[in-house]
Amino acid sequence: MAGFQQQKMELNEYLSECAAAPGKGKKRTLDSFRHKTVVLAAGETDIRQTVLAASFLYLNEYADVGLTLTEMGLESLCGEGDLAVICCPEDDSCRINYDRLQVKRAVFLSDTKVYGGRDNRWFYAEGEATGDTLRRLQEKAFIRAMQKAGSEYLILRSGELYGPGIEEGFPACMAEAAVHGVRKSFPLDGKKRSYLYLSDFICAVHEALAFGKTGTVYNAADPAGAVSTAEIGRILYEEYPEKCRFSLNPDESIAEGVSITADELCGLGWQPQVSLKKGIVLLYRSIEQAPVWKGSLYDTSYGKLESAQQMLL
């Protein structure tokens, strides 16, 4: 497998804190990765892969974790190892070929797109019927491939992620408008969706990969993080009244969102650590300090990092 050329990637303090979060967790979780090789697959600019890669590399000194990166969008994912983390592509119509992926255990990182445009006044639990959305078809393709290969597998569906480096979604757009004092209108209504701060997501991936039951679907969401745009706006105006110039318009439409529970994942011992208010403040500060990261993980379509020093400043 081609190696990475010596390169540097800059992560600001907020991304670094997200990557380091699993290393502050339970010893049993850290021990589960000892001497393991992890295959991590995502799009080249997917911030989830950037921080997940750093999170495993931070464990090197303690657990001697090997890491192989492979880029989503190749003819087939390529990699061999003990564990695999497959980040669902942003394009939910993308087909993934798993023929060249050889691992003992894998997790597919899905999201609430699996529910489509369902009534978002409900909280959906793990295992709830989803219908044949494009994201669900991706999940099924992953399951079939893992069953064919004889690999253990599980699915982790996250609420809408927010935090440093995540540029889409209401938290990011509203926080950026506040940072720059932009006069902009956002939708105001009672529709709620589940949010999850990036560091809590990274910890959820580690916990599910370490202890999740094969064949199981887990949700990752902050139980107190199912909110509307009004709550996000309220936090920003309370924290930064002199900067906020944006408005909330009840006449503007809003895309469907979904609220989910995370009872099964909490049963494994995972709990979100960053409240919505704290997360919004961290997001605001990270935007002030932009850029949060730059560069690419790849010198070729795939490669292997031997140490965090090749990636982190």
Side-chain angles (χ1 to χ4, degrees):
M1 182 165 288
F4 275 69
Q5 297 171 351
Q6 185 72 19
Q7 61 177 337
K8 297 293 185 182
M9 170 171 286
E10 297 181 6
L11 282 80
N12 74 2
E13 61 181 288
Y14 300 100
L15 276 181
S16 295
E17 287 175 1
C18 290
K24 303 174 184 177
K26 298 181 289 293
K27 184 177 182 294
R28 73 183 188 104
T29 304
L30 302 180
D31 285 341
S32 70
F33 294 106
R34 188 177 295 278
H35 308 309
K36 295 292 197 306
T37 298
V38 180
V39 178
L40 182 53
E44 184 174 354
T45 59
D46 193 328
I47 195 68
R48 294 173 300 176
Q49 188 187 50
T50 303
V51 184
L52 279 167
S55 74
F56 286 113
L57 292 172
Y58 275 132
L59 300 183
N60 266 351
E61 183 176 349
Y62 177 83
D64 187 27
V65 177
L67 180 64
T68 298
L69 306 178
T70 184
E71 183 181 353
M72 196 75 72
L74 300 176
E75 291 185 1
S76 62
L77 298 183
C78 180
E80 297 181 12
D82 300 294
L83 308 168
V85 180
I86 315 297
C87 299
C88 66
E90 289 192 18
D91 179 3
D92 53 7
S93 65
C94 176
R95 294 184 178 183
I96 306 170
N97 187 332
Y98 297 94
D99 289 347
R100 298 171 63 196
L101 182 66
Q102 300 178 32
V103 294
K104 298 175 183 177
R105 179 175 173 83
V107 57
F108 184 83
L109 304 184
S110 188
D111 55 28
T112 54
K113 282 186 178 181
V114 74
Y115 297 103
R118 299 183 65 181
D119 187 344
N120 66 353
R121 292 173 296 177
W122 294 58
F123 278 82
Y124 295 106
E126 296 92 337
E128 190 103 12
T130 63
D132 287 328
T133 59
L134 292 173
R135 182 68 85 221
R136 180 54 181 160
L137 295 179
Q138 287 179 334
E139 291 183 354
K140 289 181 177 179
F142 165 77
I143 292 171
R144 287 194 300 269
M146 295 303 104
Q147 289 175 336
K148 180 180 178 181
S151 303
E152 295 183 1
Y153 65 90
L154 58 144
I155 293 172
L156 181 67
R157 297 173 183 160
S158 67
E160 294 195 27
L161 301 181
Y162 73 102
I166 299 175
E167 298 177 349
E168 297 184 354
F170 286 115
C173 293
M174 295 171 76
E176 184 172 19
V179 167
H180 300 295
V182 175
R183 296 184 182 276
K184 185 175 182 179
S185 177
F186 293 97
L188 171 64
D189 64 20
K191 295 178 181 178
K192 296 183 179 181
R193 57 193 65 199
S194 289
Y195 291 99
L196 185 66
Y197 190 70
L198 183 58
S199 63
D200 286 328
F201 168 72
I202 300 300
C203 291
V205 174
H206 281 245
E207 199 74 16
L209 190 57
F211 303 113
K213 182 180 178 180
T214 186
T216 302
V217 174
Y218 294 94
N219 288 345
D222 180 359
V227 299
S228 67
T229 54
E231 179 64 13
I232 299 170
R234 182 190 67 79
I235 292 172
L236 286 167
Y237 263 91
E238 285 184 353
E239 295 295 320
Y240 308 103
E242 72 288 351
K243 296 286 291 184
C244 289
R245 298 290 183 270
F246 64 83
S247 61
L248 297 172
N249 186 350
D251 296 325
E252 291 187 32
S253 61
I254 188 172
E256 292 292 332
V258 173
S259 299
I260 58 176
T261 64
D263 295 341
E264 295 293 332
L265 189 62
C266 290
L268 296 180
W270 173 85
Q271 290 288 339
Q273 301 298 311
V274 180
S275 67
L276 181 70
K277 180 177 180 179
K278 180 179 179 180
I280 294 296
V281 169
L282 291 172
L283 173 60
Y284 181 98
R285 292 174 180 173
S286 74
I287 294 173
E288 281 188 314
Q289 191 177 311
V292 292
W293 74 295
K294 58 186 177 183
S296 168
L297 289 176
Y298 301 92
D299 66 338
T300 63
S301 59
Y302 56 86
K304 185 170 183 178
L305 289 173
E306 299 296 343
S307 69
Q309 283 70 35
Q310 289 178 248
M311 176 179 170
L312 305 173
L313 288 177

